[in-house]
Amino acid sequence: MNKVFLFDLLNTGSVSGNEAELEKKIYEYMQDKADRVTVDELGNVTAVINPDAPFKVLLAGHADEIGLMVTAVGNDGTLMVTNIGGIYTTTYPGHKVRIYTKNGIIYGAVANSREIAKNSELKAADLRIDIGAKDKADALQYVELGDTVTFDTDVRELQNGCISGRALDDRLGAFIVMEALAKAGEKGAAVGCYAVTTTGEETTGNGAYFTSSRVQPNIAIAVDVTYTSDNCGISEALTGDIALGKGPVICNNPSIHKKLNEKLRACAAKLGMQIQTEAANGRTGTDGDTMHRTGIGVPFALVSIPLRYMHNPDEVGSLADVQDCIDLLAEFFVSCTEDMDLRPF
Ligand SMILES: [Zn+2]
């Protein structure tokens, strides 16, 4: 596994709608690993093996992360913000942040006090970011309204192959789909293999819509993170008995294709790989839902990476799970054939 590249991705800012810096790195990384690499108007990067094959399988991992966006500047020079995606507002006060401006990153400190710390109803509009500006005019020399913000944190290695960082959701998935594609190429996959790092999953789903509408795949697989039930009180009754380090997670829900799940299980069995099973009701809340409803309809499955503390600045994942997801999806690409019949009977 190319840990250096993975960690570079995880340390890059890619708030939903502002993913270009990260997508550019993926675009360059994939140049010698795919037959074709393209970028579209939204910044979605799609890498392809066997671009002329009529049967197409599309893997999607989203490149964007949750964060904040600057909405206004107070007379005192502090920045006001709104949320981009599903943040935990109470995680921000007392922490340093990065503001992604047209002139590069500047740093800020999120105001905190006893009163703020006691406010469990804190909203994004209550947050104030101190960039050291003297007043409003001074602040506006450095930032523009609409600039995006993340925690000022980088990925760290924990024990036993675990890593912690912000937005492993879903930059792990973005890494996995591209590495799986490269590996499928090496293993001699015969069908059209497509991997996309989508924009906008946390906010609009537009990246998956653009890509799936244009690729028109026969099959799609979303690769995203899922909650573990192994600590922090998340009930296994809600999603399934999911633990870190125990392998990729296959999802059962009304819209996920059962034959694709069977195929994923067969691939895991062939590799001697342990996999886990989760349940979702109705929608998966991933790019899978979007891809499913493009064109004439696209059968899809969801492969998830177990993740603790989702949408917090200290998400924890396992590098062993990341490697297993890569291996499973590469095998899936290789196992696909043009004559696959996905009708249930
Ligand atoms: Zn996600």
Side-chain angles (χ1 to χ4, degrees), residues 16-32:
S16 211
N18 190 23
E19 305 92 343
E21 192 186 344
L22 189 144
E23 294 281 20
K24 204 169 165 204
K25 289 181 180 180
I26 291 166
Y27 182 81
E28 280 157 16
Y29 181 70
M30 291 306 291
Q31 288 302 321
D32 60 353

Side-chain angles (χ1 to χ4, degrees), residues 8 18 29 44 95 106 214 219 237 263 290 299 311 317 336:
D8 183 27
N18 190 23
Y29 181 70
N44 299 294
H95 289 277
I106 69 163
R214 293 168 182 199
I219 293 171
K263 197 162 183 58
T290 308
H311 287 198
C336 287

Side-chain angles (χ1 to χ4, degrees), residues 265-314:
R265 284 182 200 291
C267 290
K270 187 174 172 197
L271 297 169
M273 182 188 294
Q274 188 179 4
I275 55 170
Q276 311 183 74
T277 304
E278 67 175 348
N281 48 13
R283 290 169 61 83
T284 63
T286 70
D287 276 341
D289 299 331
T290 308
M291 295 190 290
H292 186 49
R293 296 173 68 88
T294 55
I296 57 169
V298 179
F300 87 106
L302 172 63
V303 170
S304 296
I305 314 141
L307 188 77
R308 292 177 183 159
Y309 326 127
M310 195 190 297
H311 287 198
N312 282 277
D314 63 343

Side-chain angles (χ1 to χ4, degrees), residues 149-214:
V149 180
T150 68
F151 284 100
D152 179 24
T153 57
D154 284 337
V155 63
R156 296 283 178 249
E157 293 197 59
L158 310 182
Q159 305 309 306
N160 298 310
C162 293
I163 58 172
S164 178
R166 61 162 224 278
L168 305 189
D169 172 10
D170 182 38
R171 285 97 62 85
L172 290 183
F175 176 74
I176 286 166
V177 297
M178 290 301 172
E179 293 289 24
L181 182 96
K183 192 161 187 178
E186 288 164 16
K187 290 176 76 164
V191 296
C193 303
Y194 292 71
V196 59
T197 47
T198 57
T199 57
E201 191 273 349
E202 299 284 5
T203 47
T204 62
N206 289 350
Y209 175 76
F210 267 50
T211 307
S212 187
S213 299
R214 293 168 182 199

Side-chain angles (χ1 to χ4, degrees), residues 87-255:
I87 64 163
Y88 288 91
T89 313
T90 53
T91 56
Y92 282 89
H95 289 277
K96 295 187 290 296
V97 289
R98 296 173 187 162
I99 301 137
Y100 300 84
T101 78
K102 67 173 184 291
N103 297 318
I105 293 172
I106 69 163
Y107 297 94
V110 184
N112 200 9
S113 66
R114 285 201 181 84
E115 284 310 304
I116 294 169
K118 275 191 261 177
N119 183 1
S120 60
E121 302 293 308
L122 201 69
K123 309 246 178 346
D126 299 325
L127 299 173
R128 294 291 180 274
I129 300 175
D130 180 354
I131 59 166
K134 294 177 199 141
D135 53 30
K136 183 172 182 173
D138 188 34
L140 286 169
Q141 291 187 71
Y142 308 109
V143 298
E144 280 184 352
L145 307 185
D147 283 347
T148 54
V149 180
T150 68
F151 284 100
D152 179 24
T153 57
D154 284 337
V155 63
R156 296 283 178 249
E157 293 197 59
L158 310 182
Q159 305 309 306
N160 298 310
C162 293
I163 58 172
S164 178
R166 61 162 224 278
L168 305 189
D169 172 10
D170 182 38
R171 285 97 62 85
L172 290 183
F175 176 74
I176 286 166
V177 297
M178 290 301 172
E179 293 289 24
L181 182 96
K183 192 161 187 178
E186 288 164 16
K187 290 176 76 164
V191 296
C193 303
Y194 292 71
V196 59
T197 47
T198 57
T199 57
E201 191 273 349
E202 299 284 5
T203 47
T204 62
N206 289 350
Y209 175 76
F210 267 50
T211 307
S212 187
S213 299
R214 293 168 182 199
V215 170
Q216 298 183 296
N218 298 83
I219 293 171
I221 297 189
V223 181
D224 210 327
V225 297
T226 194
Y227 295 96
T228 61
S229 60
D230 60 355
N231 73 348
C232 250
I234 292 184
S235 164
E236 64 192 79
L238 287 175
T239 55
D241 178 14
I242 308 298
L244 211 66
K246 291 199 172 163
V249 183
I250 309 288
C251 182
N252 289 309
N253 99 338
S255 59

